[in-house]
PDB file of all heavy atoms in Angstrom:
ATOM      1  N   MET J 760       0.966 -34.988  24.173  1.00 98.00           N
ATOM      2  CA  MET J 760       0.061 -34.219  24.973  1.00 98.00           C
ATOM      3  C   MET J 760       0.454 -34.294  26.458  1.00 98.00           C
ATOM      4  O   MET J 760       0.752 -35.379  26.944  1.00 98.00           O
ATOM      5  CB  MET J 760      -1.350 -34.690  24.778  1.00 98.00           C
ATOM      6  CG  MET J 760      -1.913 -34.463  23.407  1.00 98.00           C
ATOM      7  SD  MET J 760      -3.719 -34.943  23.312  1.00 98.00           S
ATOM      8  CE  MET J 760      -3.588 -36.694  23.406  1.00 98.00           C
ATOM      9  N   ARG J 761       0.502 -33.121  27.117  1.00 97.00           N
ATOM     10  CA  ARG J 761       0.527 -33.126  28.561  1.00 97.00           C
ATOM     11  C   ARG J 761      -0.826 -33.611  29.066  1.00 97.00           C
ATOM     12  O   ARG J 761      -1.790 -33.433  28.422  1.00 97.00           O
ATOM     13  CB  ARG J 761       0.778 -31.693  29.039  1.00 97.00           C
ATOM     14  CG  ARG J 761       2.156 -31.115  28.720  1.00 97.00           C
ATOM     15  CD  ARG J 761       2.299 -29.694  29.366  1.00 97.00           C
ATOM     16  NE  ARG J 761       1.579 -28.706  28.675  1.00 97.00           N
ATOM     17  CZ  ARG J 761       0.542 -27.991  29.147  1.00 97.00           C
ATOM     18  NH1 ARG J 761       0.137 -28.250  30.416  1.00 97.00           N
ATOM     19  NH2 ARG J 761      -0.070 -27.079  28.471  1.00 97.00           N
ATOM     20  N   PRO J 762      -0.916 -34.191  30.288  1.00 97.00           N
ATOM     21  CA  PRO J 762       0.141 -34.434  31.242  1.00 97.00           C
ATOM     22  C   PRO J 762       0.892 -35.729  31.008  1.00 97.00           C
ATOM     23  O   PRO J 762       1.802 -36.021  31.706  1.00 97.00           O
ATOM     24  CB  PRO J 762      -0.570 -34.440  32.537  1.00 97.00           C
ATOM     25  CG  PRO J 762      -1.879 -35.076  32.252  1.00 97.00           C
ATOM     26  CD  PRO J 762      -2.227 -34.540  30.837  1.00 97.00           C
ATOM     27  N   TRP J 763       0.471 -36.499  30.052  1.00 98.00           N
ATOM     28  CA  TRP J 763       0.991 -37.891  29.930  1.00 98.00           C
ATOM     29  C   TRP J 763       2.375 -37.874  29.258  1.00 98.00           C
ATOM     30  O   TRP J 763       3.251 -38.649  29.519  1.00 98.00           O
ATOM     31  CB  TRP J 763       0.001 -38.751  29.180  1.00 98.00           C
ATOM     32  CG  TRP J 763      -1.305 -38.645  29.748  1.00 98.00           C
ATOM     33  CD1 TRP J 763      -1.773 -39.171  31.004  1.00 98.00           C
ATOM     34  CD2 TRP J 763      -2.509 -37.893  29.211  1.00 98.00           C
ATOM     35  NE1 TRP J 763      -3.100 -38.829  31.156  1.00 98.00           N
ATOM     36  CE2 TRP J 763      -3.549 -38.096  30.177  1.00 98.00           C
ATOM     37  CE3 TRP J 763      -2.681 -37.198  28.095  1.00 98.00           C
ATOM     38  CZ2 TRP J 763      -4.791 -37.430  29.919  1.00 98.00           C
ATOM     39  CZ3 TRP J 763      -3.906 -36.621  27.897  1.00 98.00           C
ATOM     40  CH2 TRP J 763      -4.911 -36.739  28.762  1.00 98.00           C
ATOM     41  N   ASN J 764       2.485 -37.026  28.128  1.00 98.00           N
ATOM     42  CA  ASN J 764       3.780 -36.874  27.434  1.00 98.00           C
ATOM     43  C   ASN J 764       4.177 -38.138  26.696  1.00 98.00           C
ATOM     44  O   ASN J 764       5.328 -38.195  26.225  1.00 98.00           O
ATOM     45  CB  ASN J 764       4.939 -36.404  28.326  1.00 98.00           C
ATOM     46  CG  ASN J 764       4.578 -35.036  28.954  1.00 98.00           C
ATOM     47  OD1 ASN J 764       4.030 -34.143  28.286  1.00 98.00           O
ATOM     48  ND2 ASN J 764       4.968 -34.855  30.264  1.00 98.00           N
ATOM     49  N   ASP J 765       3.296 -39.085  26.600  1.00 97.00           N
ATOM     50  CA  ASP J 765       3.621 -40.313  25.917  1.00 97.00           C
ATOM     51  C   ASP J 765       2.584 -40.702  24.889  1.00 97.00           C
ATOM     52  O   ASP J 765       2.487 -41.839  24.386  1.00 97.00           O
ATOM     53  CB  ASP J 765       3.818 -41.499  26.883  1.00 97.00           C
ATOM     54  CG  ASP J 765       2.558 -41.840  27.620  1.00 97.00           C
ATOM     55  OD1 ASP J 765       1.540 -41.132  27.479  1.00 97.00           O
ATOM     56  OD2 ASP J 765       2.573 -42.827  28.340  1.00 97.00           O
ATOM     57  N   VAL J 766       1.682 -39.762  24.579  1.00 98.00           N
ATOM     58  CA  VAL J 766       0.581 -39.998  23.671  1.00 98.00           C
ATOM     59  C   VAL J 766       0.333 -38.770  22.807  1.00 98.00           C
ATOM     60  O   VAL J 766       0.464 -37.634  23.230  1.00 98.00           O
ATOM     61  CB  VAL J 766      -0.674 -40.373  24.435  1.00 98.00           C
ATOM     62  CG1 VAL J 766      -1.123 -39.249  25.379  1.00 98.00           C
ATOM     63  CG2 VAL J 766      -1.831 -40.764  23.456  1.00 98.00           C
ATOM     64  N   THR J 767       0.146 -39.021  21.464  1.00 98.00           N
ATOM     65  CA  THR J 767      -0.091 -37.918  20.501  1.00 98.00           C
ATOM     66  C   THR J 767      -1.548 -38.075  20.035  1.00 98.00           C
ATOM     67  O   THR J 767      -2.200 -39.105  20.138  1.00 98.00           O
ATOM     68  CB  THR J 767       0.830 -38.110  19.280  1.00 98.00           C
ATOM     69  OG1 THR J 767       0.430 -39.308  18.595  1.00 98.00           O
ATOM     70  CG2 THR J 767       2.278 -38.238  19.720  1.00 98.00           C
ATOM     71  N   PRO J 768      -2.064 -36.972  19.367  1.00 98.00           N
ATOM     72  CA  PRO J 768      -3.371 -37.084  18.783  1.00 98.00           C
ATOM     73  C   PRO J 768      -3.426 -38.267  17.791  1.00 98.00           C
ATOM     74  O   PRO J 768      -4.448 -38.986  17.729  1.00 98.00           O
ATOM     75  CB  PRO J 768      -3.520 -35.723  18.058  1.00 98.00           C
ATOM     76  CG  PRO J 768      -2.775 -34.810  18.921  1.00 98.00           C
ATOM     77  CD  PRO J 768      -1.569 -35.590  19.374  1.00 98.00           C
ATOM     78  N   ALA J 769      -2.373 -38.530  17.017  1.00 98.00           N
ATOM     79  CA  ALA J 769      -2.323 -39.631  16.095  1.00 98.00           C
ATOM     80  C   ALA J 769      -2.668 -40.916  16.776  1.00 98.00           C
ATOM     81  O   ALA J 769      -3.321 -41.792  16.191  1.00 98.00           O
ATOM     82  CB  ALA J 769      -1.022 -39.674  15.345  1.00 98.00           C
ATOM     83  N   ASP J 770      -2.105 -41.090  18.000  1.00 98.00           N
ATOM     84  CA  ASP J 770      -2.279 -42.318  18.764  1.00 98.00           C
ATOM     85  C   ASP J 770      -3.792 -42.515  19.148  1.00 98.00           C
ATOM     86  O   ASP J 770      -4.228 -43.614  19.510  1.00 98.00           O
ATOM     87  CB  ASP J 770      -1.476 -42.356  20.010  1.00 98.00           C
ATOM     88  CG  ASP J 770       0.002 -42.288  19.736  1.00 98.00           C
ATOM     89  OD1 ASP J 770       0.431 -42.816  18.711  1.00 98.00           O
ATOM     90  OD2 ASP J 770       0.705 -41.742  20.573  1.00 98.00           O
ATOM     91  N   MET J 771      -4.531 -41.426  19.211  1.00 98.00           N
ATOM     92  CA  MET J 771      -5.907 -41.497  19.720  1.00 98.00           C
ATOM     93  C   MET J 771      -6.996 -41.511  18.622  1.00 98.00           C
ATOM     94  O   MET J 771      -8.154 -41.574  18.963  1.00 98.00           O
ATOM     95  CB  MET J 771      -6.128 -40.243  20.614  1.00 98.00           C
ATOM     96  CG  MET J 771      -5.430 -40.293  21.923  1.00 98.00           C
ATOM     97  SD  MET J 771      -6.143 -41.480  23.103  1.00 98.00           S
ATOM     98  CE  MET J 771      -4.980 -42.833  23.031  1.00 98.00           C
ATOM     99  N   LEU J 772      -6.615 -41.524  17.372  1.00 98.00           N
ATOM    100  CA  LEU J 772      -7.566 -41.393  16.277  1.00 98.00           C
ATOM    101  C   LEU J 772      -8.491 -42.590  16.202  1.00 98.00           C
ATOM    102  O   LEU J 772      -9.645 -42.504  15.873  1.00 98.00           O
ATOM    103  CB  LEU J 772      -6.850 -41.101  14.959  1.00 98.00           C
ATOM    104  CG  LEU J 772      -6.061 -39.836  14.888  1.00 98.00           C
ATOM    105  CD1 LEU J 772      -5.508 -39.640  13.488  1.00 98.00           C
ATOM    106  CD2 LEU J 772      -6.889 -38.639  15.309  1.00 98.00           C
ATOM    107  N   ASP J 773      -7.901 -43.801  16.509  1.00 97.00           N
ATOM    108  CA  ASP J 773      -8.666 -44.994  16.367  1.00 97.00           C
ATOM    109  C   ASP J 773      -9.083 -45.534  17.720  1.00 97.00           C
ATOM    110  O   ASP J 773      -8.309 -46.178  18.401  1.00 97.00           O
ATOM    111  CB  ASP J 773      -7.801 -46.101  15.627  1.00 97.00           C
ATOM    112  CG  ASP J 773      -8.618 -47.395  15.467  1.00 97.00           C
ATOM    113  OD1 ASP J 773      -9.784 -47.429  15.745  1.00 97.00           O
ATOM    114  OD2 ASP J 773      -7.920 -48.344  15.068  1.00 97.00           O
ATOM    115  N   HIS J 774     -10.311 -45.251  18.109  1.00 97.00           N
ATOM    116  CA  HIS J 774     -10.787 -45.657  19.484  1.00 97.00           C
ATOM    117  C   HIS J 774     -10.908 -47.166  19.581  1.00 97.00           C
ATOM    118  O   HIS J 774     -10.873 -47.750  20.716  1.00 97.00           O
ATOM    119  CB  HIS J 774     -12.119 -44.982  19.805  1.00 97.00           C
ATOM    120  CG  HIS J 774     -13.237 -45.544  18.990  1.00 97.00           C
ATOM    121  ND1 HIS J 774     -13.562 -45.145  17.701  1.00 97.00           N
ATOM    122  CD2 HIS J 774     -14.218 -46.457  19.295  1.00 97.00           C
ATOM    123  CE1 HIS J 774     -14.588 -45.749  17.308  1.00 97.00           C
ATOM    124  NE2 HIS J 774     -15.021 -46.560  18.148  1.00 97.00           N
ATOM    125  N   THR J 775     -11.010 -47.926  18.484  1.00 97.00           N
ATOM    126  CA  THR J 775     -11.277 -49.371  18.606  1.00 97.00           C
ATOM    127  C   THR J 775     -10.075 -50.074  19.103  1.00 97.00           C
ATOM    128  O   THR J 775     -10.154 -51.293  19.460  1.00 97.00           O
ATOM    129  CB  THR J 775     -11.661 -49.931  17.231  1.00 97.00           C
ATOM    130  OG1 THR J 775     -10.611 -49.785  16.239  1.00 97.00           O
ATOM    131  CG2 THR J 775     -12.911 -49.233  16.629  1.00 97.00           C
ATOM    132  N   ARG J 776      -8.907 -49.443  19.147  1.00 96.00           N
ATOM    133  CA  ARG J 776      -7.726 -50.079  19.813  1.00 96.00           C
ATOM    134  C   ARG J 776      -7.959 -50.183  21.318  1.00 96.00           C
ATOM    135  O   ARG J 776      -7.218 -50.884  22.032  1.00 96.00           O
ATOM    136  CB  ARG J 776      -6.509 -49.262  19.573  1.00 96.00           C
ATOM    137  CG  ARG J 776      -6.115 -49.279  18.100  1.00 96.00           C
ATOM    138  CD  ARG J 776      -5.066 -48.222  17.775  1.00 96.00           C
ATOM    139  NE  ARG J 776      -3.849 -48.288  18.675  1.00 96.00           N
ATOM    140  CZ  ARG J 776      -2.901 -47.310  18.726  1.00 96.00           C
ATOM    141  NH1 ARG J 776      -3.067 -46.224  18.033  1.00 96.00           N
ATOM    142  NH2 ARG J 776      -1.931 -47.535  19.500  1.00 96.00           N
ATOM    143  N   HIS J 777      -8.935 -49.372  21.852  1.00 97.00           N
ATOM    144  CA  HIS J 777      -9.082 -49.293  23.288  1.00 97.00           C
ATOM    145  C   HIS J 777     -10.471 -49.774  23.763  1.00 97.00           C
ATOM    146  O   HIS J 777     -10.680 -50.321  24.834  1.00 97.00           O
ATOM    147  CB  HIS J 777      -8.891 -47.859  23.761  1.00 97.00           C
ATOM    148  CG  HIS J 777      -7.572 -47.292  23.304  1.00 97.00           C
ATOM    149  ND1 HIS J 777      -6.422 -47.530  23.956  1.00 97.00           N
ATOM    150  CD2 HIS J 777      -7.323 -46.503  22.283  1.00 97.00           C
ATOM    151  CE1 HIS J 777      -5.394 -46.921  23.347  1.00 97.00           C
ATOM    152  NE2 HIS J 777      -5.874 -46.301  22.282  1.00 97.00           N
ATOM    153  N   TYR J 778     -11.510 -49.508  22.935  1.00 98.00           N
ATOM    154  CA  TYR J 778     -12.890 -49.874  23.283  1.00 98.00           C
ATOM    155  C   TYR J 778     -13.751 -49.780  22.059  1.00 98.00           C
ATOM    156  O   TYR J 778     -13.290 -49.126  21.036  1.00 98.00           O
ATOM    157  CB  TYR J 778     -13.399 -48.946  24.362  1.00 98.00           C
ATOM    158  CG  TYR J 778     -13.288 -47.513  24.005  1.00 98.00           C
ATOM    159  CD1 TYR J 778     -14.254 -46.752  23.313  1.00 98.00           C
ATOM    160  CD2 TYR J 778     -12.149 -46.813  24.457  1.00 98.00           C
ATOM    161  CE1 TYR J 778     -14.045 -45.474  22.936  1.00 98.00           C
ATOM    162  CE2 TYR J 778     -11.979 -45.463  24.160  1.00 98.00           C
ATOM    163  CZ  TYR J 778     -12.934 -44.845  23.379  1.00 98.00           C
ATOM    164  OH  TYR J 778     -12.713 -43.517  23.076  1.00 98.00           O
ATOM    165  N   THR J 779     -14.896 -50.353  22.090  1.00 97.00           N
ATOM    166  CA  THR J 779     -15.848 -50.190  20.977  1.00 97.00           C
ATOM    167  C   THR J 779     -17.104 -49.615  21.619  1.00 97.00           C
ATOM    168  O   THR J 779     -17.326 -49.559  22.809  1.00 97.00           O
ATOM    169  CB  THR J 779     -16.135 -51.513  20.225  1.00 97.00           C
ATOM    170  OG1 THR J 779     -16.644 -52.436  21.207  1.00 97.00           O
ATOM    171  CG2 THR J 779     -14.861 -51.991  19.614  1.00 97.00           C
ATOM    172  N   TYR J 780     -18.062 -49.224  20.692  1.00 97.00           N
ATOM    173  CA  TYR J 780     -19.343 -48.802  21.168  1.00 97.00           C
ATOM    174  C   TYR J 780     -20.433 -49.866  20.859  1.00 97.00           C
ATOM    175  O   TYR J 780     -20.247 -50.694  19.970  1.00 97.00           O
ATOM    176  CB  TYR J 780     -19.705 -47.448  20.428  1.00 97.00           C
ATOM    177  CG  TYR J 780     -18.969 -46.307  20.992  1.00 97.00           C
ATOM    178  CD1 TYR J 780     -17.927 -45.686  20.388  1.00 97.00           C
ATOM    179  CD2 TYR J 780     -19.277 -45.782  22.286  1.00 97.00           C
ATOM    180  CE1 TYR J 780     -17.220 -44.622  20.838  1.00 97.00           C
ATOM    181  CE2 TYR J 780     -18.573 -44.733  22.821  1.00 97.00           C
ATOM    182  CZ  TYR J 780     -17.549 -44.165  22.122  1.00 97.00           C
ATOM    183  OH  TYR J 780     -16.855 -43.140  22.631  1.00 97.00           O
ATOM    184  N   ASP J 781     -21.502 -49.760  21.596  1.00 95.00           N
ATOM    185  CA  ASP J 781     -22.567 -50.770  21.455  1.00 95.00           C
ATOM    186  C   ASP J 781     -23.253 -50.655  20.088  1.00 95.00           C
ATOM    187  O   ASP J 781     -23.809 -51.611  19.570  1.00 95.00           O
ATOM    188  CB  ASP J 781     -23.603 -50.651  22.601  1.00 95.00           C
ATOM    189  CG  ASP J 781     -24.175 -49.187  22.687  1.00 95.00           C
ATOM    190  OD1 ASP J 781     -23.712 -48.287  22.091  1.00 95.00           O
ATOM    191  OD2 ASP J 781     -25.163 -49.061  23.488  1.00 95.00           O
ATOM    192  N   THR J 782     -23.225 -49.415  19.546  1.00 88.00           N
ATOM    193  CA  THR J 782     -23.793 -49.270  18.187  1.00 88.00           C
ATOM    194  C   THR J 782     -22.728 -48.750  17.272  1.00 88.00           C
ATOM    195  O   THR J 782     -21.868 -47.906  17.710  1.00 88.00           O
ATOM    196  CB  THR J 782     -24.984 -48.246  18.181  1.00 88.00           C
ATOM    197  OG1 THR J 782     -24.507 -47.001  18.635  1.00 88.00           O
ATOM    198  CG2 THR J 782     -26.133 -48.727  19.021  1.00 88.00           C
ATOM    199  N   VAL J 783     -22.704 -49.107  16.054  1.00 65.00           N
ATOM    200  CA  VAL J 783     -21.697 -48.694  15.089  1.00 65.00           C
ATOM    201  C   VAL J 783     -21.916 -47.190  14.806  1.00 65.00           C
ATOM    202  O   VAL J 783     -23.118 -46.744  14.732  1.00 65.00           O
ATOM    203  CB  VAL J 783     -21.832 -49.538  13.823  1.00 65.00           C
ATOM    204  CG1 VAL J 783     -20.750 -49.027  12.779  1.00 65.00           C
ATOM    205  CG2 VAL J 783     -21.577 -50.931  14.135  1.00 65.00           C
TER     206      VAL J 783
END
Side-chain angles (χ1 to χ4, degrees):
Chain J
M760 294 185 287
R761 292 183 285 117
W763 309 287
N764 300 320
D765 64 353
V766 61
T767 68
D770 297 329
M771 288 288 103
L772 298 183
D773 179 9
H774 70 280
T775 64
R776 294 164 58 191
H777 307 280
Y778 52 88
T779 58
Y780 286 106
D781 55 350
T782 59
V783 180

